[in-house]
Amino acid sequence: MRNKNTNKIICLTAFLLFAEMVSAQSAKSGDSNYLIYSLMAVAVLIFFFLLVQVSDNLLAIEAKQSGADKDGANFGIFPSLSEIFAPKLPDYVANKKVHALSKGHDILLEGGVTTNNVHQVNVKTFAVQPKNFTGLSPIPKVVVEVGATVKAGDHLFYDKKDPKVMHVAPVSGEIIAINRAEKRSIAEIVILADKEQVYRSLDEIDLDQVSREELVNFLLDNGIWPLIRQRPFNIIPSQTEVPRDIFISTFDTAPLAPNSNVVIEGKEDAFQKGLDVLNKLTDGSVHLGVSANGEEAPSNAFTHAQGAEIHYFSGKHPAGNVGVQIHHIKPINSGDKVWTLGVQEVITIGRLFTEGRYNAERVVAVTGAELSEPKYVSTKLGANMGDLLVGNMTGDNNRIVSGDVLTGQKKETTQYLNIFDDQVTVIQEGDYYEMFGWLIPVDPRPSISNTFPNFLFPDLKFRANTNTHGERRAFVVTGQYESVLPMDIYPQHLMKAILVKDFERMEGLGILELAEEDVALCEFVCTSKQPLQQILKEGLDIVREQS
Amino acid sequence: MKKALLNFFNRIEPDKKKQPLLHTAYDAFFTFAFTPNTVTASKEVHLRDGMDLKRTMVHVVLAMQLCYLFGTYNIGHQHFTALGMYESFFAGFHLKLAYGLIKLLPIFIVAHVVGLGIEFWYAAKKGHAVEEGFLVSGALIPLIMPPDIPLWILAISVAFAVIIGKEAFGGTGMNVLNIALLSRVFIFFAYPTDISGDAVWVAGIEEGVSQSYGMVYGVFDGLFGALGLDQFGSGGVPVVDGFTGATPLSLAFQGGWENVTKVYSESAMFWGTIPGSIGETSKPFILFGAVFLIITGIASWRIMVSMILGGAVMSLLLNAWGATPFMDVPWYFQFYMGSFFFAMAFMATDPVTASSTNVGKWIYGFMIGFVGMIVRVLNPAYPEGWMLAILFMNVFAPLIDHYVLEANMKRRARRATATA
């Protein structure tokens, strides 16, 4: 390898010297020929550039051969661009490789939680919602009846296509309703919770001894499977296939998202146990995406997790999205299947073993500018919205969102938190006319555009509302989506490929690497107000049905 | 006041089924006055960015306002300079401004009435809202026309550009070619004597004599007389000796940079007090617009930078070749002449017709600069190259994007085989 390169240098040097001599001869005497001189200068510059470049490559090759570049350290002569322009990183990531993502945008909203105390709330009803799961049959087989009493962890329903995947009750109590939606599909199975929770007793299982198959059956039977999502498509994982890797993002950069340190406090052991379990389920690794944004050092449970590869990410939203992290750690190629989980789902898995019961406790951030007191509350999966928000809302023209404002779903107080959401956001409805709102907006509003003075006040927080601020149009502005999506993907062209149902192009342009949440920020910034998440969902459905 | 206006609008709303054209027009004006009260859907993002297409477009129009101001005044300035009157720039201020307005306003009105009329009609026919694309096209078209353009030719060219160039492809966001340039290129090939040559760039001069001032001017004369200012008079003034009305580019073609500087000083060319299309002469004001567009993030700086690079590289190559006096014009002086900056700031950066990938934008801009300089210097039939170069690259932009996307797809496929 080295000889080849040395030869190259010698050849180049000789060639350049020759070229210089020729050009020097052809320069006419007396006539100041700037073109020849400038060409010569350029040639000399190129020569030195090549020299330095080749030696830089040699260094990198040397580092690779000796295996010293494993953790991605830069052994070249030049600092890489990302090193020069990288934001100042906090101390806890000193000497560690950080994926510094420069693209993205943080939407700063009023109504964040200011104290880290977790409050207890009295939620009376909980629900499991089959519609939370992508690809589940609309009418699954329900194994309980209205009026029955269940323990936490008892079976509620299963999909007839996949009868081993059990969906279980998050709390103990009485089934008070099975609500149906259009075409008799099942919307909610509602449980009135007992004051004293009782749990279904589990089989003893020794994690060190158990085979993968036994472990899978144990998790299937205890309602863990629906908590795991398989990419591509964000679906309930297949029982038969072993995932290539498992990815867990331990921080959320979405607007007003909960702080993972609060979520994990006191449950570090359960989280670690959950990681141990996951490690038995994959042949690859368990990857943790950890924040290097540095407002606060991540919990030791994340930075010192055993049996997991830690990857630090810094950057604005969507740096905390697991899809973006997968793209930078080990992208999903056609045919790959990987699993993703949230921190609280991992804790639930761990608790099966540390506590010996299905404990679906969730710390939920109740946020939004329309609340008198944004706070963290401790509840269970599928809590009732009204009970979570009781006495906290101000104003009467609000929208309640299960999840964050980018990816969440609009809910009424009679409805329930979606299964993967650990956040409730309450914002104003924007159903008002604004005079010349497009030209001279009166109240400040979040935007990535510099036509608003927002960029002069980078820390300004907004009291936003749901107005669309304009009508839907065809795609006109370009480069906008790319500027907020830190992935090697062309979202606008992908969307167009989906709209014309060009199957090959969709896959080629990377639809399999995306989930709806990843393009949510693109949808927010879209000048033409296009529904990108919905378009992507349609595309994913088409591809899923074809494969 | 807001409430009263809202009530007024509610009261006059025409019936959508019975009078679709009227309702479309009503809807256009209503959404102009009020941002609608629509809210985000239940499963999409719940917040939307404050930016919409109206705001995008209006900022491009805002960026051109200085060009409008200067262009209007320069019409009058060129007219009187040709007659040897008020040769200092600010002398006869009121006359020059009034003369410019009388020339510009009809062009502006005709372009908008024809263009918007067609847009409204198509919107009503297709049953969608009036889209904002023509806001920018309509503002650009007057700036790239000679001041004496016959209005009927203008009307035909705008109609051609909007119908064939845009509506035939599906409306705003779907067109392949830049609408404003398409209307200009239509005149360029259909009525060449009205848009090229030396005779068209200074308004109101025919066969060496200034036009006879008609009734509109009389109205202004009455006003100016009452105020004790100079008046237009009756016209028929002969032009000064040596007046040609030639633009720097045609002078450069005949005799290189020396020939240009005999007639126009460098500072005149820079500030734009020279004959030319209405809005393209003044470099500082155009650059102000360009910087405004870059800071607000509306136009792509990539296209602008790469276009300058492309133009500079080509003129350096031509310098090296040096076969004609025009080729010998130093590369930096090439930017003093013609409409390079106007094309760069407002024409090449049109997001619909430009390349839509960031890599593609670099190639697209560079090629415009490169090709445009070839057309300008090497082809005697076409005095300026940017219009043709941009339209040419408009056609190629999808191809550039295609290869950029192919590269992305190949990268992904290679990654898959590498790890498999």
Side-chain angles (χ1 to χ4, degrees), chain B residues 115-137:
Chain B
L116 285 179
I118 296 169
E119 287 261 321
F120 278 44
W121 189 69
Y122 266 95
K125 219 177 105 176
K126 293 200 248 170
H128 63 64
V130 176
E131 302 191 318
E132 291 80 9
F134 197 77
L135 270 182
V136 171
S137 304

Short mmCIF file of all heavy atoms in Angstrom, two decimals, chain B residues 115-137:
data_model
loop_
_atom_site.label_atom_id
_atom_site.label_comp_id
_atom_site.label_asym_id
_atom_site.label_seq_id
_atom_site.Cartn_x
_atom_site.Cartn_y
_atom_site.Cartn_z
N GLY B 115 -51.61 38.79 -16.64
CA GLY B 115 -51.13 37.61 -15.92
C GLY B 115 -52.09 37.15 -14.84
O GLY B 115 -52.48 35.98 -14.78
N LEU B 116 -52.50 38.09 -13.99
CA LEU B 116 -53.40 37.71 -12.91
C LEU B 116 -54.76 37.29 -13.45
O LEU B 116 -55.38 36.37 -12.93
CB LEU B 116 -53.56 38.88 -11.92
CG LEU B 116 -52.38 39.10 -11.00
CD1 LEU B 116 -52.63 40.29 -10.08
CD2 LEU B 116 -52.10 37.86 -10.15
N GLY B 117 -55.20 37.96 -14.53
CA GLY B 117 -56.48 37.57 -15.13
C GLY B 117 -56.47 36.11 -15.52
O GLY B 117 -57.39 35.35 -15.20
N ILE B 118 -55.39 35.70 -16.19
CA ILE B 118 -55.30 34.29 -16.60
C ILE B 118 -55.22 33.38 -15.38
O ILE B 118 -55.88 32.34 -15.31
CB ILE B 118 -54.07 34.10 -17.53
CG1 ILE B 118 -54.27 34.90 -18.80
CG2 ILE B 118 -53.87 32.64 -17.84
CD1 ILE B 118 -53.03 34.99 -19.66
N GLU B 119 -54.43 33.79 -14.39
CA GLU B 119 -54.31 32.97 -13.17
C GLU B 119 -55.68 32.78 -12.51
O GLU B 119 -56.04 31.67 -12.12
CB GLU B 119 -53.39 33.68 -12.17
CG GLU B 119 -51.94 33.64 -12.55
CD GLU B 119 -51.19 32.55 -11.81
OE1 GLU B 119 -51.48 32.36 -10.62
OE2 GLU B 119 -50.35 31.89 -12.43
N PHE B 120 -56.42 33.87 -12.36
CA PHE B 120 -57.74 33.79 -11.71
C PHE B 120 -58.66 32.87 -12.50
O PHE B 120 -59.37 32.05 -11.94
CB PHE B 120 -58.38 35.20 -11.61
CG PHE B 120 -57.89 36.00 -10.44
CD1 PHE B 120 -56.54 36.04 -10.13
CD2 PHE B 120 -58.76 36.72 -9.64
CE1 PHE B 120 -56.08 36.78 -9.05
CE2 PHE B 120 -58.31 37.44 -8.56
CZ PHE B 120 -56.97 37.49 -8.26
N TRP B 121 -58.61 33.04 -13.82
CA TRP B 121 -59.51 32.25 -14.65
C TRP B 121 -59.20 30.76 -14.53
O TRP B 121 -60.08 29.93 -14.35
CB TRP B 121 -59.39 32.71 -16.10
CG TRP B 121 -60.43 32.10 -16.97
CD1 TRP B 121 -61.76 32.36 -16.95
CD2 TRP B 121 -60.22 31.12 -17.97
NE1 TRP B 121 -62.41 31.60 -17.88
CE2 TRP B 121 -61.50 30.83 -18.54
CE3 TRP B 121 -59.10 30.46 -18.48
CZ2 TRP B 121 -61.66 29.90 -19.55
CZ3 TRP B 121 -59.27 29.53 -19.49
CH2 TRP B 121 -60.55 29.26 -20.03
N TYR B 122 -57.91 30.43 -14.58
CA TYR B 122 -57.53 29.02 -14.44
C TYR B 122 -57.86 28.49 -13.05
O TYR B 122 -58.31 27.35 -12.91
CB TYR B 122 -56.04 28.84 -14.74
CG TYR B 122 -55.78 28.46 -16.16
CD1 TYR B 122 -55.47 29.42 -17.10
CD2 TYR B 122 -55.87 27.14 -16.56
CE1 TYR B 122 -55.25 29.07 -18.41
CE2 TYR B 122 -55.64 26.78 -17.87
CZ TYR B 122 -55.33 27.75 -18.80
OH TYR B 122 -55.12 27.40 -20.10
N ALA B 123 -57.64 29.32 -12.02
CA ALA B 123 -57.94 28.87 -10.66
C ALA B 123 -59.42 28.56 -10.53
O ALA B 123 -59.80 27.55 -9.94
CB ALA B 123 -57.52 29.94 -9.66
N ALA B 124 -60.25 29.43 -11.10
CA ALA B 124 -61.69 29.20 -11.02
C ALA B 124 -62.05 27.93 -11.78
O ALA B 124 -62.85 27.12 -11.32
CB ALA B 124 -62.44 30.40 -11.59
N LYS B 125 -61.44 27.76 -12.95
CA LYS B 125 -61.75 26.59 -13.76
C LYS B 125 -61.34 25.30 -13.07
O LYS B 125 -62.05 24.30 -13.09
CB LYS B 125 -61.02 26.71 -15.10
CG LYS B 125 -61.85 26.22 -16.28
CD LYS B 125 -61.13 26.44 -17.57
CE LYS B 125 -60.60 25.12 -18.06
NZ LYS B 125 -59.95 25.17 -19.34
N LYS B 126 -60.19 25.33 -12.44
CA LYS B 126 -59.69 24.11 -11.79
C LYS B 126 -60.18 23.99 -10.36
O LYS B 126 -59.91 22.99 -9.70
CB LYS B 126 -58.16 24.11 -11.82
CG LYS B 126 -57.61 23.97 -13.22
CD LYS B 126 -56.18 23.48 -13.19
CE LYS B 126 -55.22 24.54 -13.67
NZ LYS B 126 -53.84 24.24 -13.46
N GLY B 127 -60.83 25.02 -9.87
CA GLY B 127 -61.42 24.94 -8.53
C GLY B 127 -60.41 24.95 -7.40
O GLY B 127 -60.62 24.32 -6.37
N HIS B 128 -59.29 25.61 -7.57
CA HIS B 128 -58.40 25.77 -6.42
C HIS B 128 -58.14 27.25 -6.17
O HIS B 128 -58.53 28.11 -6.96
CB HIS B 128 -57.09 25.00 -6.61
CG HIS B 128 -56.25 25.45 -7.76
ND1 HIS B 128 -55.68 26.71 -7.82
CD2 HIS B 128 -55.88 24.82 -8.90
CE1 HIS B 128 -55.00 26.82 -8.93
NE2 HIS B 128 -55.11 25.70 -9.62
N ALA B 129 -57.47 27.53 -5.05
CA ALA B 129 -57.22 28.92 -4.71
C ALA B 129 -56.20 29.52 -5.67
O ALA B 129 -55.42 28.80 -6.28
CB ALA B 129 -56.69 29.01 -3.28
N VAL B 130 -56.24 30.83 -5.81
CA VAL B 130 -55.24 31.51 -6.65
C VAL B 130 -53.89 31.38 -5.96
O VAL B 130 -53.74 31.70 -4.79
CB VAL B 130 -55.60 32.99 -6.83
CG1 VAL B 130 -54.52 33.69 -7.62
CG2 VAL B 130 -56.93 33.11 -7.53
N GLU B 131 -52.90 30.88 -6.71
CA GLU B 131 -51.59 30.69 -6.10
C GLU B 131 -50.72 31.91 -6.35
O GLU B 131 -50.97 32.69 -7.26
CB GLU B 131 -50.97 29.41 -6.65
CG GLU B 131 -51.88 28.23 -6.35
CD GLU B 131 -51.23 26.89 -6.61
OE1 GLU B 131 -50.54 26.76 -7.62
OE2 GLU B 131 -51.42 25.99 -5.77
N GLU B 132 -49.68 32.03 -5.51
CA GLU B 132 -48.99 33.31 -5.44
C GLU B 132 -47.88 33.48 -6.45
O GLU B 132 -47.23 34.51 -6.48
CB GLU B 132 -48.40 33.49 -4.04
CG GLU B 132 -49.44 33.69 -2.95
CD GLU B 132 -50.05 32.37 -2.51
OE1 GLU B 132 -49.55 31.31 -2.93
OE2 GLU B 132 -51.02 32.40 -1.76
N GLY B 133 -47.64 32.46 -7.28
CA GLY B 133 -46.49 32.51 -8.17
C GLY B 133 -46.39 33.78 -8.99
O GLY B 133 -45.31 34.33 -9.17
N PHE B 134 -47.53 34.27 -9.46
CA PHE B 134 -47.46 35.40 -10.38
C PHE B 134 -47.13 36.70 -9.66
O PHE B 134 -46.75 37.67 -10.32
CB PHE B 134 -48.76 35.54 -11.18
CG PHE B 134 -48.58 36.41 -12.39
CD1 PHE B 134 -47.94 35.93 -13.51
CD2 PHE B 134 -48.97 37.74 -12.38
CE1 PHE B 134 -47.72 36.73 -14.60
CE2 PHE B 134 -48.75 38.55 -13.47
CZ PHE B 134 -48.12 38.05 -14.59
N LEU B 135 -47.24 36.72 -8.34
CA LEU B 135 -46.81 37.92 -7.61
C LEU B 135 -45.38 38.28 -8.00
O LEU B 135 -45.06 39.44 -8.26
CB LEU B 135 -46.86 37.66 -6.11
CG LEU B 135 -48.14 37.96 -5.37
CD1 LEU B 135 -47.96 37.69 -3.90
CD2 LEU B 135 -48.54 39.41 -5.57
N VAL B 136 -44.52 37.27 -8.04
CA VAL B 136 -43.12 37.52 -8.35
C VAL B 136 -42.92 37.70 -9.85
O VAL B 136 -42.27 38.65 -10.29
CB VAL B 136 -42.23 36.38 -7.81
CG1 VAL B 136 -40.82 36.53 -8.32
CG2 VAL B 136 -42.25 36.40 -6.31
N SER B 137 -43.50 36.80 -10.65
CA SER B 137 -43.34 36.92 -12.10
C SER B 137 -43.83 38.29 -12.56
O SER B 137 -43.18 38.97 -13.35
CB SER B 137 -44.14 35.84 -12.81
OG SER B 137 -43.75 34.57 -12.36
#
